[in-house]
Amino acid sequence: MLYFGVIGHPIGHSASPIMHNTVFRTLNIDAIYLPFDVKPENLKDAVYGARALGFKGLNVTIPHKEEITKYVKPVGLAERIGAVNTVDVPKLEGYNTDAIGALRTLEAYNVDYEGKVVLIVGAGGVARAIAFALAGKSTLIITNRTASRGLKLAEDVRKYGECIFYPYERVEELKGKFDILINCTPLGMKGFEEKLPVPESLIENVVVFDTVYNPIETPLIKLAKKRGCKVIYGLDMLVYQGAEAFKIWFGFDPPILVMRDAVVEFLRQHL
Ligand SMILES: NC(=O)c1ccc[n+]([C@@H]2O[C@H](COP(=O)([O-])OP(=O)(O)OC[C@H]3O[C@@H](n4cnc5c(N)ncnc54)[C@H](OP(=O)(O)O)[C@@H]3O)[C@@H](O)[C@H]2O)c1
């Protein structure tokens, strides 16, 4: 039996256990994936404990994604980003599959992001992962409620490609100046503000990618569809980041649709 888990604090509503356990069942893999509530002061013990217990893989979520880089070696994009969400436990190596998952999502929707102007709203963990994933491929504009945080992200990303910060209060001025909009704020998420992350006037003739996945149809997605924009669901990014984690642990691609159906069912039950 192979052991996997996701560590976070709190961990109650993670979709990862159902997503991975469904694939294990479908592929007849003798493995189990469990959620673990790990307080920040116990992170080191949890990582080394998992290794001592023979775990094969861990996912890592809020608030441990950055702190865990002290205990596992970040590889690939995780090193640039400074955050890890997937661990190869025996090797103590850390990956950032949010970043790879976002790129795979764009590709799955046949969205050509190379050479395009991408407006990223937000400068937190997800914005950071996506910005580093797109750096050097797209021209990036970052906007964020807290300017200092947005400026810092733009400065970090600029080492790898074109990236500027644009003030959140003046974002309406960017109308017609970008091709893809990516919402990396929690605006529109269940239990959060219903507000759109950008003024309505910007939702026109652009691809709209909302990383929020609960609800699946966010207010931003609904408006974008009404305006005839191509839309990309946060649900798909969630599935692709999980699929990338599976590939790191097993060396082959899992059945995407099986994972997606499991997450849709999970979200239906938790809406
Ligand atoms: N699809 C997926 O696989 C996936 C995975 C993880 C997360 N997500 C989604 O991504 C969202 C962000 O996650 P995260 O980990 O990046 O969070 P985070 O690190 O807390 O960052 C949140 C960002 O949203 C901004 N923000 C928060 N409240 C706002 C408001 N009322 N108005 C304007 N901006 C606001 C913050 O701005 P300040 O800097 O001003 O605070 C910050 O830039 C989550 O809520 C979740 O829905 C999706």
Side-chain angles (χ1 to χ4, degrees):
M1 161 91 67
L2 302 171
Y3 298 103
F4 296 87
V6 54
I7 55 175
H9 181 67
I11 198 65
H13 289 299
S14 170
S16 294
I18 193 121
M19 185 160 62
H20 288 286
N21 285 323
T22 304
V23 173
F24 297 158
R25 253 197 326 272
T26 305
L27 298 181
N28 278 321
I29 296 173
D30 187 18
I32 188 162
Y33 186 116
L34 294 165
F36 297 100
D37 192 332
V38 174
K39 292 191 181 128
E41 62 269 29
N42 293 329
L43 180 61
K44 183 179 174 184
D45 287 347
V47 174
Y48 294 143
R51 190 172 62 155
L53 291 169
F55 272 56
K56 187 163 174 61
L58 285 177
N59 282 127
V60 183
T61 187
I62 287 171
H64 305 312
K65 288 184 183 181
E66 288 167 17
E67 192 66 13
I68 199 163
T69 58
K70 289 186 185 161
Y71 314 117
V72 304
K73 183 176 177 292
V75 294
L77 276 172
E79 195 180 353
R80 284 189 189 181
I81 298 165
V84 156
N85 78 329
T86 299
V87 179
D88 176 325
V89 178
K91 290 186 184 161
L92 286 182
E93 284 180 349
Y95 298 80
N96 193 306
T97 67
D98 284 335
I100 317 164
L103 289 190
R104 279 202 62 193
T105 304
L106 285 162
E107 284 154 15
Y109 277 85
N110 287 318
V111 172
D112 181 12
Y113 51 82
E114 304 252 355
K116 296 290 186 333
V117 180
V118 180
L119 174 61
I120 294 177
V121 189
V126 167
R128 198 171 168 82
I130 295 182
F132 276 97
L134 290 172
K137 301 181 172 79
S138 314
T139 299
L140 303 177
I141 307 176
I142 289 164
T143 188
N144 192 49
R145 180 180 63 178
T146 306
S148 56
R149 206 171 172 201
L151 278 162
K152 169 81 172 72
L153 176 57
E155 190 189 313
D156 291 349
V157 172
R158 229 171 2 249
K159 290 180 201 128
Y160 305 100
E162 266 185 272
C163 183
I164 60 160
F165 172 77
Y166 209 85
Y168 194 48
E169 314 74 57
R170 289 176 33 212
V171 77
E172 200 155 11
E173 296 167 8
L174 294 174
K175 186 171 165 53
K177 296 190 174 134
F178 61 94
D179 307 293
I180 303 168
L181 168 75
I182 309 184
N183 174 40
C184 300
T185 77
L187 290 170
M189 192 169 83
K190 181 190 166 195
F192 214 80
E193 291 171 71
E194 282 261 325
K195 236 174 76 180
L196 292 171
V198 292
E200 275 196 44
S201 61
L202 294 188
I203 318 296
E204 228 170 67
N205 290 321
V206 291
V207 174
V208 173
F209 181 175
D210 197 344
T211 66
V212 174
Y213 56 82
N214 191 3
I216 295 170
E217 299 275 341
T218 62
L220 175 63
I221 291 279
K222 282 186 189 158
L223 176 68
K225 275 179 156 177
K226 213 163 28 171
R227 297 257 173 103
C229 298
K230 180 162 186 157
V231 300
I232 302 179
Y233 292 96
L235 163 72
D236 291 294
M237 178 176 154
L238 182 68
V239 171
Y240 276 109
Q241 66 76 29
E244 286 299 313
F246 182 97
K247 198 172 165 187
I248 287 162
W249 298 325
F250 288 95
F252 64 93
D253 284 311
I256 290 288
L257 288 181
V258 168
M259 292 180 105
R260 195 178 195 277
D261 287 349
V263 177
V264 170
E265 187 51 36
F266 172 86
L267 292 174
R268 278 214 189 100
Q269 284 170 21
H270 290 85
L271 272 181

